[in-house]
Amino acid sequence: MIANKRTRLIGAAVLAAAVIGGVSACSSSSPGSTSSAGGTYTFWDPYPQFDASADWTKLVEQCGTDAGVTVKRTGFDTSDLTNKALLAGQQGSSPDLLLVDNPVVSTLAEAGILTTTAENKLDTSDIQKNILAAGVLDGKTYGVPIGANTLALYYNKAVLSAAGVDVSTIKDWNGLTAALAKVKAAGKKGITFSAIGTEEGSFQFLPWFWGSGADLKKLDSDKAVQALSLWTDWVKQGYAPNSVINNTQTTSWQEFATGDFAFGENGTWQLGNVKKAGIDYGILSIPGIDGGSAPAPTGGEFMTIPVQKDTARYATSKKIADCLTSTESFVKTDTTLSYIAPTSAAQEKQVAANPELKPWVDAVAAAKGRTSDNLGTKYPKISQQLWGAVQNALSGSQSPADALKAAQTAAAAATK
C-alpha cells in the first residue's frame, strides 16, 4: 500500500473524529447477536484497494476458516474507517476485529472502543518495543502492529560519484550539507522531500525534528529551531528545490525519479518504483544532527479487538488475530504491503528473501511512533501546528524561530 496517501489523511482522520456526530450511519454489517460458536465475524481495515481476489482478503478469510467461523471483511479509506469505527463504538455495534492506522489507536482507546491486550490476551512479547509504542496509552496496550514502514534517504550513486561524494562520509547533518554543496557545484540537484502543509509534511519533517533532539511537547526549543533552519537553509542555498513546500511524497518521488537529484527522502513503498526508474541507488538512514540514525516516524496499522457486548466473542477474535499476526502471516502481509515486519523472526525471513530490505529493517529499528511519549490524541493537534510552522518558514513569511514560537503557543492552547 502506498503510505503517502495514508499519512496525508491521518491528521484529518483523527481531527474528524471530534465531530463524529455528523457522520452518517455505518453501512457495514455488525456482529449483532451471532453466537460466539461459529457464525460470521466482521473485520474492518483501511485497504479498499484489495478486492475479494486479493491475497490479503484470502488470508483474512482463511484465518477465519481456521478459527471455525466466516470472516466478512470490509475495506474503508483511512479517514472513513476512523469515523465509522467511532460511530459503531458509540452505537455498540463495533466489528469483531479492527485494523487501524497506528496514530488512530489512541483516539479509539480514549473513546473506550478498544479492549486492551491484557483483556483480549493478544501476545505482544515478540514485538519491537518502538513499533508497539504507538499502540500504548497510559501504560496500556491496545493492539498488535502488523508491520511498519518508515523513511530513509534514497541516493543516486551516479550523481554522487560525478560530484566526488563518498557516501560513507555522510554521518551527520554537516556531512550531508557538505555533500549537497558538492552536488550543486557539479551542476546537479541536491535533495528533495515533502514539506506540504498536511500530515505528510510533518511525517517527513519529524526525522529531522527528532534527529535534533527536539520534543513535540516543546515545538519552539533551540533544537527544533536548528531542525527547521536546516531545511530553510537548504532551500535558500539551492540544495533543495522551492517545490518542496508543495510536494507530496509522490511528487517528491517523481522529482527524484528524474535522475537529477542526489537524494530523495521517501519510504519503503518506493522500492518497486526506484527499480522501474532504472536508478543505481542506495539507501542511507536519515542522520541525526551529531551522527547516528535519526528516529523516523513509523507508519503501519494495528490489529485491535473492539469492545463487544457479547464478551464470549473475544476468544474467537483472538484466534483470528493470532493467525494474522503469526510469523508466516507477517512475512506474507508485509511483503504485499511493502512493510517491515514488527518481529525479529519475521524480519529475518524477509531479508533472506530480499536482501535489499536490510537497510529498511535498520531504519525501522530506529523509528518512533508519532503518538509515542504518551501524546495520544494530542499528536494531531501538535502536528497541525508543526506543519504550519514548516510552511511559514520555507515560504519566508516567518523565521524558523518565530514560526515555531507561534506554533508552540497554538499547540499549547489546543492541547490543554
Side-chain angles (χ1 to χ4, degrees), residues 153 155-183 186 262-263 282-285 287:
L153 296 178
Y155 62 87
N156 187 317
K157 293 180 181 179
V159 172
L160 292 183
S161 178
V165 174
D166 179 355
V167 75
S168 68
T169 64
I170 303 173
K171 299 179 179 179
D172 53 24
W173 289 5
N174 286 338
L176 179 56
T177 300
L180 294 175
K182 287 184 178 181
V183 169
F263 299 94
I283 302 293
L284 180 69
S285 291

Side-chain angles (χ1 to χ4, degrees), residues 43 94 96 118 206 211 228 268 287 362:
F43 181 99
S94 293
D96 291 286
L206 279 173
L228 188 49
T268 51
D362 295 338

Side-chain angles (χ1 to χ4, degrees), residues 228-260:
L228 188 49
S229 296
L230 179 74
W231 270 20
T232 54
D233 288 347
W234 283 350
V235 172
K236 288 177 182 177
Q237 295 295 327
Y239 301 158
N242 290 323
S243 59
V244 296
I245 196 169
N246 294 315
N247 271 350
T248 64
Q249 289 182 113
T250 297
T251 54
S252 173
W253 178 258
Q254 290 167 348
E255 289 181 336
F256 180 75
T258 63
D260 293 331

Side-chain angles (χ1 to χ4, degrees), residues 19-349:
V19 291
I20 191 63
V23 180
S24 60
C26 178
S27 60
S28 293
S29 63
S30 61
S33 59
T34 304
S35 170
S36 57
T40 299
Y41 277 61
T42 49
F43 181 99
W44 295 356
D45 66 39
Y47 307 146
Q49 75 273 26
F50 294 141
D51 61 18
S53 66
D55 288 343
W56 167 249
T57 304
K58 292 176 181 177
L59 176 61
V60 171
E61 292 174 346
Q62 183 60 53
C63 285
T65 299
D66 292 348
V69 297
T70 298
V71 174
K72 181 178 180 181
R73 174 194 163 260
T74 306
F76 299 97
D77 181 86
T78 297
S79 57
D80 198 24
L81 177 61
T82 303
N83 289 331
K84 282 181 164 56
L86 284 163
L87 183 61
Q90 189 179 65
Q91 296 176 338
S93 59
S94 293
D96 291 286
L97 295 113
L98 183 60
L99 190 68
V100 293
D101 203 4
N102 71 69
V104 177
V105 174
S106 57
T107 297
L108 301 181
E110 191 172 272
I113 290 170
L114 304 179
T115 59
T116 68
T117 53
E119 294 167 332
N120 58 42
K121 309 304 180 185
L122 290 177
D123 183 13
T124 61
S125 59
D126 292 335
I127 305 295
Q128 287 185 350
K129 300 305 179 187
N130 64 318
I131 301 175
L132 186 64
V136 177
L137 181 67
D138 296 329
K140 297 179 180 179
T141 305
Y142 288 89
V144 179
I146 63 164
N149 54 37
T150 194
L151 298 165
L153 296 178
Y154 287 83
Y155 62 87
N156 187 317
K157 293 180 181 179
V159 172
L160 292 183
S161 178
V165 174
D166 179 355
V167 75
S168 68
T169 64
I170 303 173
K171 299 179 179 179
D172 53 24
W173 289 5
N174 286 338
L176 179 56
T177 300
L180 294 175
K182 287 184 178 181
V183 169
K184 182 185 177 185
K188 290 291 186 176
K189 298 176 181 179
I191 187 169
T192 177
F193 48 85
S194 168
I196 194 170
T198 67
E199 175 61 25
E200 201 165 346
S202 289
F203 189 77
Q204 288 240 323
F205 182 59
L206 279 173
W208 311 95
F209 183 88
W210 283 332
S212 73
D215 187 326
L216 284 171
K217 296 175 183 176
K218 190 170 176 56
L219 296 179
D220 58 348
S221 68
D222 291 342
K223 292 178 179 179
V225 172
Q226 282 183 288
L228 188 49
S229 296
L230 179 74
W231 270 20
T232 54
D233 288 347
W234 283 350
V235 172
K236 288 177 182 177
Q237 295 295 327
Y239 301 158
N242 290 323
S243 59
V244 296
I245 196 169
N246 294 315
N247 271 350
T248 64
Q249 289 182 113
T250 297
T251 54
S252 173
W253 178 258
Q254 290 167 348
E255 289 181 336
F256 180 75
T258 63
D260 293 331
F261 281 85
F263 299 94
E265 180 182 352
N266 233 292
T268 51
W269 53 91
Q270 299 292 8
L271 277 173
N273 290 330
V274 74
K275 294 175 182 178
K276 291 178 183 177
I279 294 172
D280 186 11
Y281 77 98
I283 302 293
L284 180 69
S285 291
I286 296 173
I289 186 170
D290 294 320
S293 295
T298 54
E301 289 80 36
F302 268 64
M303 182 72 64
T304 67
I305 297 179
V307 172
Q308 301 292 333
K309 294 177 182 177
D310 180 4
T311 57
R313 298 182 71 84
Y314 296 150
T316 299
S317 294
K318 178 184 181 298
K319 289 180 182 179
I320 299 168
D322 285 344
C323 174
L324 290 168
T325 56
S326 68
T327 296
E328 181 181 354
S329 292
F330 275 148
V331 173
K332 187 180 298 184
T333 298
D334 293 333
T335 298
T336 298
L337 299 174
S338 293
Y339 284 1
I340 299 301
T343 66
S344 296
Q347 288 173 0
E348 289 172 3
K349 288 183 178 294

